[in-house]
Amino acid sequence: MKPTSRERHITLKHILIDSQRMIGIKFYPDKVLDALIKTLDHPRWSEQYGLILIKNTPKNLQDIFEKFKGVAWINVQHFFTNRPVFAGNSLLSVDEYRKRPIKAGFRQCPEAFYQKLEIRKYSLNTARVYIGMFERFINHYRTVENLLELGEQEIINYLQSLVLEGKSDSYINQSINAIKFYYEVVLEMPNRFYRVERPFKKESLPKVISKESVLRMIALCPNIKHRCIIALLYSSGLRRAELLNLKISDIDSERMTIRVSQGKGKKDRVSLLSKRLLEDLRQYYRIWKPVTYLFEGPDGGQYSATSVVKIIARAAKRAKISQRVTPHMLRHSFATHLLEAGTDLRYIQALLGHSSTRTTEVYTHIAVNGLSRIQNPLDLD
């Protein structure tokens, strides 16, 4: 039986050979497809990539769509950039990087790199990381003038040098993201690097503390503002940045909920408001009288992220907790204690703002409600 147009398909990929952009065409052998391939502009087989290659020009790309239309389905998911712009972020300008003084011999990011960060409205923190990581990479190959001459092998060699320097997996992953951003987003050649491997992701379990420890931290905190910060992080499962972004209007005492606006991934969600905490929040409001943000610094702007870390550390010390406690540990503890109390995993997922239950399922590995029913073999008669 002959394959139909639905069964026939080709996949387009970006390939760079000797600084020349090529279109890679992948397909299963078929007489009809073979015949059409031969009508393209100087097709040639690449043993290295296992693909048919033709020059990447607008005309050649148009020829592919015209000649294979109705004959085969064309898979372009590896070829076109279709990631959405980060609409939730405020306007980004990286002028401070453009206009900074540059030392002699130092290689700066290309202007197109800055422009793409601004156009796609990446967060300022991400922009800083990408610029720093990419500039380190291009200065490693300072003598190579044309960045298109840097291929997969050069990238792999550079990543290997980072490993030998003892850089963390996180650092290496950020470097890969910055390099891929330039070649795949700025130059619009998505998924071009097929052999660049990331470090294996370490599956570490979240660190939590007991509910009793959290209650001691709150009870022994003499400052009402600090007490509210600790209680909110724990009782609502907030990330530190989400806490700092809270506005007075986000507290809904009638529905006993907290609105989290533009959390991680630019998603809104609703979390729980504790009745016990509400009384403290009202007392705090009467004393501190915040204007815009729920927690404000001396200048009236957002409260300092560093201050939150210090508040948690001091509270843990007062509560005589031996391990180092961070704001995110209170979020992990919130999820774990809800799970141990029998709360459905899907509700916990929604409260935390996780896109998938797979992320939330990690808490099932540290919840001890099931373990408490297992008798230790040392205690068996």
Side-chain angles (χ1 to χ4, degrees), residues 16 85 107 177 180 223 231 272 284 308 334 362 381:
L16 194 70
V85 171
R107 195 172 194 178
N177 290 340
K180 286 170 74 70
N223 184 305
L272 307 174
Y284 155 73
V308 174
F334 162 81
V362 68
D381 293 332

Side-chain angles (χ1 to χ4, degrees), residues 127-379:
R128 288 193 187 107
V129 171
Y130 278 21
I131 291 170
M133 293 294 184
F134 189 65
E135 286 186 342
R136 170 165 180 158
F137 168 68
I138 60 180
N139 280 284
H140 183 81
Y141 291 109
R142 198 176 304 165
T143 57
V144 181
E145 290 188 18
N146 185 355
L147 295 180
L148 282 176
E149 293 179 8
L150 298 174
E152 288 191 9
Q153 192 56 54
E154 285 75 23
I155 294 172
I156 291 168
N157 292 344
Y158 172 70
L159 297 175
Q160 186 178 20
S161 73
L162 297 182
V163 173
L164 295 175
E165 289 177 27
K167 298 297 184 184
S168 67
D169 291 349
S170 174
Y171 187 99
I172 293 170
N173 273 317
Q174 287 178 329
S175 299
I176 294 173
N177 290 340
I179 295 168
K180 286 170 74 70
F181 174 78
Y182 177 70
Y183 289 100
E184 299 187 355
V185 179
V186 177
L187 298 185
E188 297 184 348
M189 300 174 69
N191 297 298
R192 188 170 76 79
F193 302 114
Y194 307 108
R195 295 188 296 126
V196 175
E197 296 183 2
R198 294 180 181 272
F200 285 111
K201 187 176 180 180
K202 295 177 181 177
E203 299 292 338
S204 55
L205 293 175
K207 294 180 180 179
V208 302
I209 56 176
S210 67
K211 181 179 178 180
E212 292 72 25
S213 294
V214 177
L215 294 178
R216 283 202 313 275
M217 287 175 63
I218 297 170
L220 296 174
C221 190
N223 184 305
I224 183 68
K225 183 177 185 178
H226 297 174
R227 193 156 68 241
C228 288
I229 286 173
I230 298 169
L232 256 177
L233 286 169
Y234 171 70
S235 65
S236 303
L238 301 180
R239 300 177 178 91
R240 181 178 60 176
E242 293 169 347
L243 173 90
L244 299 177
N245 286 330
L246 280 182
K247 295 182 178 177
I248 300 164
S249 57
D250 291 328
I251 308 299
D252 188 340
S253 58
E254 291 185 2
R255 298 179 61 213
M256 295 304 294
T257 60
I258 294 176
R259 177 182 173 82
V260 182
S261 301
Q262 298 294 287
K264 188 175 182 181
K266 299 303 166 189
K267 293 178 292 187
D268 294 348
R269 72 177 191 279
V270 172
S271 192
L272 307 174
L273 174 61
S274 160
K275 293 179 181 178
R276 184 186 301 182
L277 170 61
L278 182 59
E279 295 307 312
D280 274 351
L281 281 174
R282 284 172 172 160
Q283 183 185 348
Y284 155 73
Y285 182 80
R286 288 192 294 268
I287 296 171
W288 288 83
K289 296 180 174 59
V291 178
T292 304
Y293 293 101
L294 185 60
F295 300 108
E296 296 179 337
D299 59 352
Q302 278 187 321
Y303 200 59
S304 162
T306 306
S307 296
V308 174
V309 174
K310 291 178 180 177
I311 288 167
I312 303 300
R314 286 196 295 265
K317 189 175 181 180
R318 278 192 298 267
K320 295 185 171 15
I321 301 172
S322 58
Q323 66 189 118
R324 177 176 173 267
V325 181
T326 66
H328 215 68
M329 280 176 68
L330 296 179
R331 173 176 159 88
H332 289 322
S333 301
F334 162 81
T336 305
H337 298 162
L338 281 180
L339 188 62
E340 290 174 342
T343 307
D344 191 290
L345 197 67
R346 289 169 296 180
Y347 290 129
I348 300 174
Q349 175 194 352
L351 292 170
L352 294 175
H354 288 164
S355 299
S356 168
T357 52
R358 290 184 62 186
T359 310
T360 318
E361 283 170 0
V362 68
Y363 297 107
T364 62
H365 298 294
I366 54 176
V368 297
N369 53 331
L371 295 177
S372 62
R373 295 193 293 269
I374 303 173
Q375 191 170 3
N376 192 292
L378 187 62
D379 300 327

